[in-house]
Amino acid sequence: MDYTLSEEQKMIKKTARDFLTDKCPTKFVREMEEDEKGHSPQLWQEMAGLGWMGLVFPEKYGGTGGSFLDLAVLLEETGHALLPSPFFSTVVLSGLPILDAGSEEQKQKYLPDIVNGKRIFTLALTEPSARYDAASITVKATVDNNDYILSGTKLFVPDAHVADYLLCVARTNEQAKPEEGLTIFIIDAKSPRIGYKVLKTAASDKLCEVTFDQVRVAKGNILGRLDQGWGEVEKVIQWAAVAKCCEVVGIMQRILEMTVEYAKDRIRWHRAIGSFQGVQTDCARMLADVDGARLSTYQTAWRLSEGLPCRKEVAIAKAWMNQASERVLSRGHQLHGGIGLCVEHDLQLYTRRAKAAQSAWGDTDFYKEIVAEETLR
Amino acid sequence: MDFGFSKEQEKFRQEVRDFLEEEERRGTFKPAPHAWTTGYNQEFTTQVAQKGWISIWLPKEYGGLGRSWVDHCILYEEMVRYGAPLAIHFHHADFGFAGTIVRQGSEEQKRELLPKMLRGEISETSCGSEPVGSNLDSTLKTTAVLDGDEWVINGEKIWSTHAPHSNILTVIAVTDPQAPKATRTNEFIVDPTTTGVTIRPLPMLSGHPDNLAEVYFDNVRVPKKNLIPGRPTAEAVRSMAAEHAYLHRIMAIYCLWDATIKFVKKTKRDGKLLSQDPLIRSKIAQIEIELEIGRLFDYRIAVSKDKGFDLFHSGEVMVLKAYAAEFEQHVARTVMEIVGLYGQLMPAPELGPVLEEAASAYHYAKSASLRSTPIEYLWCRAAMEGLGLPSYIDPPRRTI
């Protein structure tokens, strides 16, 4: 048993921290909130140059063959820095399923361009029904000779407006059970008849509405098997949930750091407010929340890396993260007083994003039901 | 990073389980929640001693097995899961007295007491807390005065866990009232049958009649050699901080919780299994989530101790203690919600083994946030030691 990072992982962490401290200060984060793309293509190329996109892909595709745990270390840092980037969409939501379910031809076609930063990808999964179950997918794909015709609306799709490719989950068989009639299509994002609208979100995280109006997609663009896409989608939801937890560990850590710093500096009754027992108790509870999140997240990332079953652990990590991050962001705001509610203060940059993560890739009730199922079987 | 157990560790866990199942089958003990601290069973303790499992962390040079703190965690995780009666040996052997003797005891004390402890022949109570004063702020009142070849102890102690069952009392007394906190007191080994010692059990609302006690010392004469000579070094304080971290505390409630899971899987209400009720599923999930987090906190301390990390300034120990206390109470509350009116009976045989003690376990859990250190103090210490926040006792004066 060992809760420490390897030397390589410490290196990943340090390099990322140094790079992002320099290239991604909160000033940059604010600029990207107003930016149409929401990210810097130049920074994207620098990240590719650091090997970030290739971290979890095998060497034959240009990557460095790292594990999910290595990626977890990197994601904690990108979360800590609030890195505005389609990294999560490209690597976690798209690159991982292509690696897992793609044909060799597809892997050769797409993965190197992910690794070298040439192409941006995202996953178009959720719809106006706002759920993560198979039955909620209504975007239809009907066969037409060697093609499929896709119609319907996807909602809350991250970075769709800058993507080169969309992985779209569509219903190809309406007669079968919901879990047995879904297919993943890899679609050129510039295909005609796809509409994009960037939604105004609290976290300024470039979530999009994507409309498909009889979009033609070749059969060869199916990822995995026809009608058998849901199994792969469930895996992606797990990876995304854990990856999101990693980012939020970084965000929560930063909220804790800022709050403790504030508690040491803010003076009332001739003493730092951090010397009041009430404030101390709140800060210590935040520490427990952050620590619990880090341990459960890394345990799950380790299990994924080792190929161990982890359905219950994923559910526990995300459910705890949702609850703990809410306590941390609330206490963070309370202890900062009024200034923390103002846009010109940095705290809200973190708390808005922590909040958004709670409902992404499965909310608390979704995962509590899984925990109950695993416990009571 | 590795969150798994080695083959040897898994083997050890299975060995412990096999032992417990065999002893339960033989009728040596009947599982009960909180039996780790309220179950006094000399036969069981002797069996554990024969396996060499008392103080498994004790270095080999003292006759112990010198095993890791992770092994210690594994041992106790199973012991409490099975609701085994550990009260006679656990308190001193794995938490407190044994460590004190190893680090601070005289050679004679080590020679005489450690082997007895390992054989399961000792049951010890730490007499520290007093009704009025405290060692924390140097207001402890019990005194020890040297008179010839004997120390004379006078005073009153309270919350002396296990005192009515113990054959050793470790008494903290003031030997130099003018000295600063670090050198003001000493610890003494006292035979409870000594003239002048009166032990008065304090029945608890949980129904346990003599788990706690008051101990009065009226001119109790104790041989000079019973003074524990050493003082805790900074190293020892750090180490003790982790031992007193209640490594097992998260696990203390396993027995009750396992019984609750079994209960909901087989009990019906209005024709439907409780395990199918969404409200109950939600409660169960919440506890399972918090349990896993606590378990990770527990093993983190064990792994850190094995690696020799500095735990004193990390806040991790305080977080574990505080978290574990609140968790135990959360489980107890949840169990009571699930068992309904039967939670009023003491015991409730209708609920089946272990769970029949739900009411007692709920009330006993009230002590979880008070044992050793009240939880308010723990959170503040986590903030001060782990986050570097200034002391609340004597905060530096600041000007705007």
Side-chain angles (χ1 to χ4, degrees), chain A residues 181-240:
Chain A
L182 294 173
T183 305
I184 307 173
F185 292 89
I186 305 178
I187 304 175
D188 183 336
K190 305 288 180 292
S191 305
R193 308 171 77 88
I194 304 180
Y196 298 95
K197 186 171 112 184
V198 180
L199 305 168
K200 183 160 163 55
T201 57
S204 309
D205 49 0
K206 307 297 181 200
L207 298 183
C208 300
E209 176 194 70
V210 184
T211 48
F212 297 86
D213 180 14
Q214 299 187 64
V215 178
R216 186 168 287 275
V217 182
K219 262 185 191 168
N221 287 356
I222 289 176
L223 179 69
R225 301 210 338 256
L226 178 67
D227 293 346
Q228 303 303 311
W230 183 246
E232 190 62 25
V233 173
E234 281 189 309
K235 284 188 195 177
V236 178
I237 293 172
Q238 272 203 348
W239 296 326

Side-chain angles (χ1 to χ4, degrees), chain B residues 288-396:
Chain B
E288 287 283 318
I289 292 162
E290 294 177 13
L291 191 153
E292 185 61 22
I293 298 298
R295 200 170 164 270
L296 285 164
F297 282 159
D298 238 348
Y299 276 100
R300 172 169 70 168
I301 299 291
V303 171
S304 296
K305 260 176 84 73
D306 283 339
K307 287 191 183 287
F309 289 168
D310 174 7
L311 287 170
F312 193 68
H313 295 101
S314 66
E316 290 172 20
V317 169
M318 301 301 141
V319 161
L320 168 62
K321 288 170 84 167
Y323 182 91
E326 293 185 353
F327 175 68
E328 186 174 329
Q329 291 172 350
H330 188 195
V331 175
R333 273 197 305 276
T334 302
V335 171
M336 291 293 264
E337 285 170 14
I338 290 172
V339 300
L341 279 169
Y342 283 101
Q344 294 307 302
L345 300 179
M346 292 179 81
E350 297 84 350
L351 296 177
V354 175
L355 203 53
E356 62 181 343
E357 303 289 348
S360 170
Y362 167 80
H363 290 293
Y364 194 84
K366 294 257 167 283
S367 64
S369 51
L370 296 165
R371 276 174 225 148
S372 173
T373 318
I375 207 176
E376 289 82 357
Y377 185 53
L378 289 172
W379 285 122
C380 288
R381 283 193 56 192
M384 292 185 287
E385 285 162 29
L387 298 172
L389 288 177
S391 168
Y392 66 77
I393 295 168
D394 233 326

Side-chain angles (χ1 to χ4, degrees), chain B residues 29-177:
Chain B
F29 75 96
K30 187 181 135 183
H34 293 112
W36 63 270
T37 187
T38 58
Y40 304 95
N41 187 322
Q42 185 61 61
E43 198 199 330
F44 182 80
T45 289
T46 304
Q47 293 298 330
V48 174
Q50 282 171 8
K51 296 290 286 186
W53 289 347
I54 291 188
S55 308
I56 62 169
W57 55 272
L58 201 62
K60 289 188 174 148
E61 72 222 59
Y62 296 112
L65 294 177
R67 295 185 78 144
S68 69
W69 285 97
V70 172
D71 281 344
H72 166 101
C73 253
I74 290 172
L75 175 69
Y76 278 102
E77 197 167 14
E78 298 308 319
M79 288 274 174
V80 294
R81 195 199 303 278
Y82 280 79
L86 311 176
I88 284 180
H89 66 269
F90 168 72
H91 188 98
H92 69 267
D94 286 294
F95 158 80
F97 186 57
T100 302
I101 294 301
V102 165
R103 279 185 297 267
Q104 299 159 226
S106 66
E107 286 313 308
E108 191 186 336
Q109 287 164 351
K110 287 179 198 172
R111 253 196 330 270
E112 195 192 309
L113 296 170
L114 293 176
K116 276 196 181 148
M117 224 181 302
L118 292 172
R119 288 196 298 266
E121 293 168 10
I122 287 185
S123 179
E124 177 259 4
T125 289
S126 176
C127 294
S129 300
E130 295 184 359
V132 179
S134 163
N135 212 12
L136 284 177
D137 56 7
S138 299
T139 55
L140 217 62
K141 294 232 175 305
T142 301
T143 55
V145 176
L146 190 60
D147 179 25
D149 272 340
E150 291 172 321
W151 288 93
V152 183
I153 299 177
N154 277 287
E156 191 187 323
K157 296 291 186 184
I158 197 170
W159 321 130
S160 307
T161 316
H162 307 318
H165 302 264
S166 294
N167 52 29
I168 288 185
L169 305 176
T170 315
V171 184
I172 303 170
V174 178
T175 42
D176 187 350

Side-chain angles (χ1 to χ4, degrees), chain A residues 319 323 364-372, chain B residues 281-282 285-286 289:
Chain A
Q323 295 178 332
T364 306
D365 286 344
F366 178 84
Y367 283 112
K368 278 177 77 168
E369 177 48 37
I370 291 177
V371 173
Chain B
R281 288 171 83 83
S282 179
Q286 189 63 38
I289 292 162

